Amino acid sequence: MSSEAAPFRGRCGLPTVGRMDNVATMTERLLADAGLRAGMRVLDVGCGRGDVTFMAASQVGAQGQVVGVDRDSGAIEQARVRAREQGLSNVTFVEGDLHALPKEQGLFDAVVGRRVLMYQADAVEAVRGLARAVKPGGLVVFQEHDSTVGPVSLKPLPLHAQVREWIWRTVEREGANVHMGFDLASVFTQAGLTVEQVRAVAVVQTPTQAHPTGAIVRAMVPRIVKHGVATEAELDVDTLEQRLTEERVKAGATYIGELAFGAWARTPRAATGDLATRI
């Protein structure tokens, strides 16, 4: 799919909007630039339904292997179904906690994750533990969203600002670090890793290019309501995407709601000794 929809108008006189998962594109590029290659063995922590797992699997190829780990049994089952539907033989999904990885999985060439460290009570300790599952000199790659910058637009977009507030206030009330992107480099360093690169990419929307904000809010409704951030009536998810599009089109505005940080680092090179002591 192109980043911009064709410039024709649909019903109601609004431009046809191309809804693109810009974050997925960012993740794929991050994994490739970090150094995922054919034949590697990769651990995807907090894998959920397997989106990042499948990206990694495409990069390591049939000779590689990706193991996805998540503590949500329902998500793991959905990921397994998706893998079967795609006929993938180089992915495995395991129910478990990233703080207690099954030792029988052995060591990996890389560990990856998306929107995982922000939910850890002690991100440094989490990374330190994950690094023990990675071979000496191996990769640790994470993508984390950050609320520090935004919302940004040259024209007022009050609905966009409100929706962003709903999302990030909910995440913060769940105990997440909403500034994890800016903290990535220091977290890696404190965990004993050597940082190779940190980058940040804006999540951009225009009158003809949309981020799936409405779908994100729909998935978050139970959490938003639970934490008292907004009611279902206030969210009105059935019309939200349309209302967001109308606001951008009417204003002719480009909007940035947040930054997606990506970083990768290396585990220490091994001294002479038994690698089994690392796990």
Side-chain angles (χ1 to χ4, degrees), residues 1-275:
M1 182 186 297
S2 66
S3 61
E4 294 283 338
F8 60 84
R9 292 182 177 268
R11 290 182 298 177
C12 304
L14 293 175
T16 298
V17 177
R19 198 176 85 172
M20 178 180 180
D21 190 348
N22 298 295
V23 176
T25 303
M26 297 173 196
T27 307
E28 290 173 339
R29 185 174 299 138
L30 174 67
L31 297 179
D33 291 351
L36 262 63
R37 297 291 183 268
M40 292 180 73
R41 191 162 184 267
V42 179
L43 173 66
D44 176 21
V45 294
C47 66
R49 298 175 62 251
D51 290 346
V52 176
T53 312
F54 298 137
M55 294 179 198
S58 71
Q59 296 189 18
V60 304
Q63 300 306 310
Q65 181 190 29
V66 185
V67 177
V69 175
D70 200 289
R71 61 187 180 186
D72 186 332
S73 59
I76 286 293
E77 184 52 39
Q78 290 181 56
R80 289 169 176 162
V81 169
R82 294 176 72 193
R84 287 195 295 269
E85 290 175 346
Q86 296 178 52
L88 296 177
S89 59
N90 64 341
V91 298
T92 303
F93 292 99
V94 178
E95 182 181 348
D97 193 296
L98 64 84
H99 297 285
L101 297 171
K103 291 188 176 182
E104 61 268 21
Q105 292 295 334
L107 292 174
F108 294 85
D109 298 298
V111 59
V112 303
R114 182 170 70 180
R115 294 191 289 265
V116 172
L117 297 181
M118 62 190 294
Y119 287 102
Q120 303 308 307
D122 188 336
V124 173
E125 187 56 36
V127 171
R128 191 176 287 131
L130 290 170
R132 297 190 189 103
V134 180
K135 295 177 182 177
L139 282 166
V140 176
V141 189
F142 277 91
Q143 184 181 62
E144 301 287 336
H145 285 219
D146 193 295
S147 71
T148 307
V149 177
V152 180
S153 177
L154 297 181
K155 299 177 181 179
L157 295 174
L159 179 59
H160 284 71
Q162 178 65 79
V163 172
R164 180 186 185 278
E165 177 69 13
W166 287 335
I167 292 172
W168 281 107
R169 192 185 308 168
T170 299
V171 171
E172 190 168 32
R173 289 186 180 181
E174 290 174 331
N177 176 2
V178 299
H179 307 295
M180 190 65 236
F182 277 96
D183 286 341
L184 266 176
S186 62
V187 166
F188 282 177
T189 300
Q190 290 177 60
L193 307 183
T194 300
V195 178
E196 294 198 340
Q197 187 175 120
V198 179
R199 61 177 60 161
V201 182
V203 179
V204 179
Q205 299 184 70
T206 72
T208 57
Q209 176 178 305
H211 185 62
T213 307
I216 291 169
V217 173
R218 183 181 294 277
M220 289 183 67
V221 167
R223 296 159 58 195
I224 293 171
V225 173
K226 174 184 176 182
H227 290 285
V229 174
T231 66
E232 290 192 35
E234 289 171 326
L235 297 173
D236 190 9
V237 292
D238 290 336
T239 66
L240 183 56
E241 197 71 66
Q242 178 73 8
R243 287 183 288 128
L244 288 167
T245 299
E246 289 174 351
E247 185 174 69
R248 289 196 310 279
V249 170
K250 184 176 180 180
T254 292
Y255 172 77
I256 295 174
E258 62 194 43
L259 296 178
F261 278 75
W264 66 88
R266 296 275 178 182
T267 58
R269 299 285 178 180
T272 303
D274 186 1
L275 294 184

